[in-house]
């Protein structure tokens, strides 16, 4: 069981697989007023940076589930590196349908809402692990500016304009589902650059080390096209944020 290989190549050097920076991740941990001993569940935990740094900074207890074997192994190494491996546990597996045995203070899915068929399904799934008074975290893109054409949406790697809302609509949608939005941290273009541009050097180095790999042609094509595609579309049109929700 694993995610498509392209992500394990292009994001192999990422600690955070999203446009949020380490600084903003720390700000989010502060903003949520986490307390030592709080349980945090993270579906699609990637390389574990959120749980590991929050364990270090706030003393939380965390469980992460991720379908990438590479990212899960990296998360375990990061926990050891930060000396928090007794506080956080990383499970390699499919997070679809995952509900924790014990109810948690924070139930998160940061940039992987497809695991439950979109934002609505993911909120429903996370709510099943949440203790009363707990917080749901959803990391999700939104349109910074509405793309004027469907081709521009496709340039952002969306399947259509209707894949995402503009920010006020996204916030309203949480309200319509019966949730208060109690905090948010938004990515900026510098954060997008850290997420996207970091893939380019990783691809270049991977190509130098793996020129005979059957995958090399695909990675080469991506390295050639990605900088311009990203600058023309994603960087201009797509926003991204983490939204903290509490049931009304
Ligand atoms: N939340 C992390 C990772 C976001 S990237 C961060 O912010 O750094 C999306 C993650 O979802 C990837 O790590 C990918 O491996 C994982 N993923 C994709 N499908 C999944 C599934 N069905 N179950 C669990 N994890 C999944």
């Amino acid at each position: 069981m694993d995610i498509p290989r392209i992500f394990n190549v292009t994001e192999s050097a990422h600690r955070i697989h999203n446009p949020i920076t380490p600084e903003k991740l720390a700000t989010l941990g502060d903003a949520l007023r986490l307390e030592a001993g709080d349980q945090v569940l993270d579906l699609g935990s990637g390389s574990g940076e959120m749980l590991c740094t929050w364990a270090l900074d706030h003393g939380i207890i965390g469980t992460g589930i991720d379908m990438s074997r590479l990212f899960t192994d990296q998360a375990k190494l990061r926990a050891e590196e930060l000396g928090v491996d007794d506080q956080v546990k990383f499970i390699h597996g499919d997070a679809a349908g995952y509900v924790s045995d014990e109810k948690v203070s924070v139930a998160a899915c940061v940039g992987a809402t497809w695991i439950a068929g979109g934002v609505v399904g993911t909120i429903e799934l996370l709510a099943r692990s949440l203790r009363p008074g707990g917080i749901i975290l959803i990391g999700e893109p939104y349109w910074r500016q509405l793309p004027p054409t469907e081709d521009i949406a496709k340039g952002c790697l969306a399947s259509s304009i209707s894949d995402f809302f503009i920010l006020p609509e996204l916030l309203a949608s949480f309200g319509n589902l019966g949730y208060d939005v109690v905090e948010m941290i938004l990515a900026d273009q510098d954060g997008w650059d850290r997420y996207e541009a970091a893939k380019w050097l990783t691809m270049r180095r991977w190509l130098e080390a793996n020129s005979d790999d059957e995958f090399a042609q695909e990675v080469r094509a991506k390295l050639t096209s990605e900088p311009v595609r990203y600058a023309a579309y994603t960087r201009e049109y797509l926003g991204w944020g983490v939204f903290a929700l509490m049931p009304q």
Side-chain angles (χ1 to χ4, degrees):
M1 182 202 298
D2 215 320
I3 58 171
R5 189 176 176 206
I6 190 72
F7 301 109
N8 284 325
V9 171
T10 58
E11 299 190 28
S12 60
H14 284 52
R15 266 194 188 139
I16 301 174
H17 304 267
N18 269 312
I20 194 167
T21 57
E23 296 75 22
K24 290 198 182 215
L25 205 51
T27 301
L28 177 62
D30 291 338
L32 295 177
R33 306 173 202 172
L34 298 167
E35 288 180 13
D38 279 352
Q39 302 256 9
V40 181
L41 173 68
D42 191 9
L43 303 186
S45 44
S47 299
E49 192 67 5
M50 185 175 87
L51 290 181
C52 290
T53 54
W54 288 1
L56 184 68
D57 294 342
H58 301 282
I60 60 107
I61 306 293
T63 303
I65 297 107
D66 199 281
M67 206 150 94
S68 163
R69 185 173 293 283
L70 173 71
F71 299 168
T72 306
D73 288 345
Q74 290 179 166
K76 291 177 185 168
L77 288 174
R78 185 66 172 149
E80 283 170 26
E81 186 182 34
L82 295 184
V84 295
D85 46 320
D86 55 341
Q87 286 163 258
V88 293
K89 184 171 73 178
F90 291 102
I91 300 166
H92 173 240
D94 189 347
Y98 187 92
V99 177
S100 62
D101 296 336
E102 248 181 280
K103 301 275 190 208
V104 299
S105 300
V106 178
C109 179
V110 178
T113 52
W114 59 84
I115 61 171
V119 171
V120 175
T122 300
I123 290 176
E124 278 169 15
L125 174 61
L126 293 171
R128 291 164 62 195
S129 297
L130 196 68
R131 71 157 171 78
I135 290 178
I136 288 179
L137 286 185
I138 292 283
E140 185 69 6
Y142 60 88
W143 295 119
R144 281 180 72 217
Q145 345 167 21
L146 203 61
T149 66
E150 288 291 342
D151 279 349
I152 291 181
K154 289 195 171 68
C156 299
L157 307 182
S159 65
S160 124
I161 297 173
S162 64
D163 282 9
F164 305 119
F165 290 119
I166 56 170
L167 183 59
E169 286 175 355
L170 178 59
L171 298 177
S173 78
F174 295 132
N176 293 338
L177 292 170
Y179 284 86
D180 288 327
V181 182
V182 297
E183 259 292 0
M184 70 176 187
I185 300 287
L186 303 181
D188 57 19
Q189 286 175 310
D190 291 335
W192 271 109
D193 295 347
R194 287 308 81 236
Y195 175 50
E196 293 293 341
K199 297 176 190 175
W200 309 338
L201 182 57
T202 302
M203 286 194 273
R204 174 61 200 246
R205 294 227 163 120
W206 185 90
L207 282 167
E208 279 165 13
N210 298 276
S211 53
D212 296 337
D213 194 293
E214 52 174 35
F215 208 47
Q217 230 177 341
E218 187 175 333
V219 175
R220 175 70 250 172
K222 233 183 162 46
L223 175 57
T224 304
S225 60
E226 269 300 285
V228 173
R229 182 206 64 77
Y230 165 66
Y233 300 110
T234 305
R235 194 175 197 277
E236 286 310 306
Y237 290 93
L238 214 53
W240 192 88
V242 182
F243 305 93
L245 314 174
M246 293 177 79
Q248 284 163 2

